Short mmCIF file of all heavy atoms in Angstrom, two decimals:
data_model
loop_
_atom_site.label_atom_id
_atom_site.label_comp_id
_atom_site.label_asym_id
_atom_site.label_seq_id
_atom_site.Cartn_x
_atom_site.Cartn_y
_atom_site.Cartn_z
N LEU B 259 -28.75 34.45 15.36
CA LEU B 259 -27.47 34.12 16.00
C LEU B 259 -26.85 32.89 15.34
O LEU B 259 -25.94 32.29 15.88
CB LEU B 259 -27.69 33.86 17.49
CG LEU B 259 -28.11 35.06 18.32
CD1 LEU B 259 -28.23 34.67 19.79
CD2 LEU B 259 -27.10 36.20 18.17
N SER B 260 -27.35 32.52 14.14
CA SER B 260 -27.01 31.20 13.60
C SER B 260 -25.51 31.01 13.36
O SER B 260 -25.01 29.90 13.43
CB SER B 260 -27.78 30.96 12.30
OG SER B 260 -27.43 31.96 11.37
N THR B 261 -24.80 32.05 13.06
CA THR B 261 -23.36 31.87 12.84
C THR B 261 -22.55 32.75 13.77
O THR B 261 -21.42 33.09 13.49
CB THR B 261 -22.98 32.19 11.39
OG1 THR B 261 -23.36 33.54 11.11
CG2 THR B 261 -23.64 31.27 10.41
N GLU B 262 -23.16 33.14 14.90
CA GLU B 262 -22.41 34.03 15.77
C GLU B 262 -21.45 33.22 16.64
O GLU B 262 -21.77 32.79 17.75
CB GLU B 262 -23.34 34.86 16.65
CG GLU B 262 -22.53 35.97 17.31
CD GLU B 262 -23.42 36.92 18.08
OE1 GLU B 262 -23.98 36.51 19.10
OE2 GLU B 262 -23.56 38.06 17.62
N ILE B 263 -20.27 33.07 16.15
CA ILE B 263 -19.27 32.34 16.90
C ILE B 263 -18.74 33.24 18.01
O ILE B 263 -18.92 34.45 17.98
CB ILE B 263 -18.14 31.84 15.99
CG1 ILE B 263 -17.84 32.91 14.95
CG2 ILE B 263 -18.51 30.59 15.26
CD1 ILE B 263 -16.64 33.58 15.06
N LEU B 264 -18.05 32.62 18.95
CA LEU B 264 -17.70 33.31 20.17
C LEU B 264 -16.87 34.57 19.96
O LEU B 264 -17.13 35.63 20.55
CB LEU B 264 -16.96 32.35 21.10
CG LEU B 264 -17.15 32.58 22.59
CD1 LEU B 264 -18.60 32.73 22.96
CD2 LEU B 264 -16.52 31.44 23.37
N SER B 265 -15.88 34.50 19.08
CA SER B 265 -15.00 35.65 18.93
C SER B 265 -15.78 36.84 18.35
O SER B 265 -15.50 37.99 18.65
CB SER B 265 -13.80 35.31 18.04
OG SER B 265 -14.21 34.62 16.91
N LEU B 266 -16.79 36.51 17.54
CA LEU B 266 -17.63 37.57 16.98
C LEU B 266 -18.46 38.21 18.09
O LEU B 266 -18.60 39.43 18.17
CB LEU B 266 -18.56 36.94 15.94
CG LEU B 266 -19.06 37.86 14.84
CD1 LEU B 266 -17.91 38.50 14.11
CD2 LEU B 266 -19.90 37.05 13.87
N ARG B 267 -18.99 37.36 18.96
CA ARG B 267 -19.81 37.87 20.06
C ARG B 267 -18.97 38.75 20.99
O ARG B 267 -19.42 39.79 21.47
CB ARG B 267 -20.44 36.70 20.82
CG ARG B 267 -21.20 37.15 22.03
CD ARG B 267 -22.47 36.37 22.30
NE ARG B 267 -23.31 37.17 23.21
CZ ARG B 267 -24.31 37.92 22.80
NH1 ARG B 267 -24.63 37.97 21.53
NH2 ARG B 267 -25.02 38.63 23.67
N ILE B 268 -17.73 38.29 21.22
CA ILE B 268 -16.84 39.09 22.08
C ILE B 268 -16.65 40.47 21.48
O ILE B 268 -16.78 41.49 22.17
CB ILE B 268 -15.48 38.39 22.24
CG1 ILE B 268 -15.66 37.08 23.01
CG2 ILE B 268 -14.49 39.29 22.95
CD1 ILE B 268 -14.42 36.21 23.03
N SER B 269 -16.36 40.49 20.18
CA SER B 269 -16.10 41.79 19.57
C SER B 269 -17.35 42.67 19.60
O SER B 269 -17.27 43.87 19.82
CB SER B 269 -15.56 41.58 18.14
OG SER B 269 -16.44 42.09 17.20
N ARG B 270 -18.54 42.05 19.44
CA ARG B 270 -19.76 42.85 19.49
C ARG B 270 -20.06 43.32 20.92
O ARG B 270 -20.50 44.45 21.13
CB ARG B 270 -20.94 42.04 18.96
CG ARG B 270 -20.89 41.88 17.44
CD ARG B 270 -22.05 41.07 16.93
NE ARG B 270 -23.32 41.72 17.20
CZ ARG B 270 -24.49 41.10 17.13
NH1 ARG B 270 -24.53 39.83 16.83
NH2 ARG B 270 -25.60 41.76 17.35
N THR B 271 -19.81 42.46 21.89
CA THR B 271 -20.04 42.86 23.28
C THR B 271 -19.20 44.08 23.63
O THR B 271 -19.65 45.00 24.32
CB THR B 271 -19.68 41.71 24.23
OG1 THR B 271 -20.32 40.53 23.77
CG2 THR B 271 -20.12 42.00 25.65
N ALA B 272 -17.98 44.09 23.12
CA ALA B 272 -17.09 45.21 23.43
C ALA B 272 -17.50 46.46 22.66
O ALA B 272 -17.61 47.53 23.24
CB ALA B 272 -15.65 44.83 23.12
N SER B 273 -17.74 46.32 21.36
CA SER B 273 -17.94 47.53 20.56
C SER B 273 -19.41 47.97 20.51
O SER B 273 -19.68 49.16 20.62
CB SER B 273 -17.40 47.31 19.15
OG SER B 273 -17.98 46.17 18.59
N GLU B 274 -20.37 47.03 20.40
CA GLU B 274 -21.77 47.43 20.30
C GLU B 274 -22.41 47.62 21.66
O GLU B 274 -23.06 48.62 21.94
CB GLU B 274 -22.57 46.40 19.51
CG GLU B 274 -22.51 46.59 18.00
CD GLU B 274 -23.24 45.46 17.31
OE1 GLU B 274 -24.36 45.10 17.75
OE2 GLU B 274 -22.69 44.93 16.32
N PHE B 275 -22.21 46.61 22.54
CA PHE B 275 -22.88 46.68 23.84
C PHE B 275 -22.06 47.45 24.86
O PHE B 275 -22.51 47.69 25.97
CB PHE B 275 -23.18 45.27 24.38
CG PHE B 275 -23.83 44.35 23.38
CD1 PHE B 275 -23.60 42.99 23.41
CD2 PHE B 275 -24.68 44.87 22.39
CE1 PHE B 275 -24.19 42.15 22.48
CE2 PHE B 275 -25.27 44.02 21.47
CZ PHE B 275 -25.02 42.66 21.50
N ARG B 276 -20.83 47.79 24.50
CA ARG B 276 -19.96 48.59 25.35
C ARG B 276 -19.80 47.99 26.74
O ARG B 276 -19.84 48.67 27.76
CB ARG B 276 -20.50 50.03 25.43
CG ARG B 276 -20.66 50.66 24.06
CD ARG B 276 -21.37 51.98 24.11
NE ARG B 276 -20.55 53.02 24.72
CZ ARG B 276 -19.56 53.65 24.11
NH1 ARG B 276 -19.24 53.33 22.88
NH2 ARG B 276 -18.88 54.60 24.72
N GLU B 277 -19.67 46.64 26.80
CA GLU B 277 -19.46 45.95 28.08
C GLU B 277 -18.07 45.35 28.07
O GLU B 277 -17.89 44.16 27.81
CB GLU B 277 -20.48 44.81 28.24
CG GLU B 277 -21.91 45.25 28.29
CD GLU B 277 -22.32 45.56 29.72
OE1 GLU B 277 -21.44 45.58 30.61
OE2 GLU B 277 -23.51 45.80 29.94
N LEU B 278 -17.06 46.16 28.34
CA LEU B 278 -15.69 45.67 28.23
C LEU B 278 -15.43 44.53 29.23
O LEU B 278 -14.78 43.54 28.91
CB LEU B 278 -14.70 46.80 28.46
CG LEU B 278 -14.65 47.83 27.35
CD1 LEU B 278 -13.53 48.84 27.61
CD2 LEU B 278 -14.43 47.16 26.01
#
Side-chain angles (χ1 to χ4, degrees):
Chain B
L259 292 183
S260 60
T261 58
E262 192 174 69
I263 39 110
L264 211 49
S265 46
L266 206 56
R267 175 142 198 98
I268 294 170
S269 115
R270 287 179 63 196
T271 310
S273 54
E274 275 176 45
F275 312 149
R276 304 172 70 78
E277 297 272 8
L278 290 186

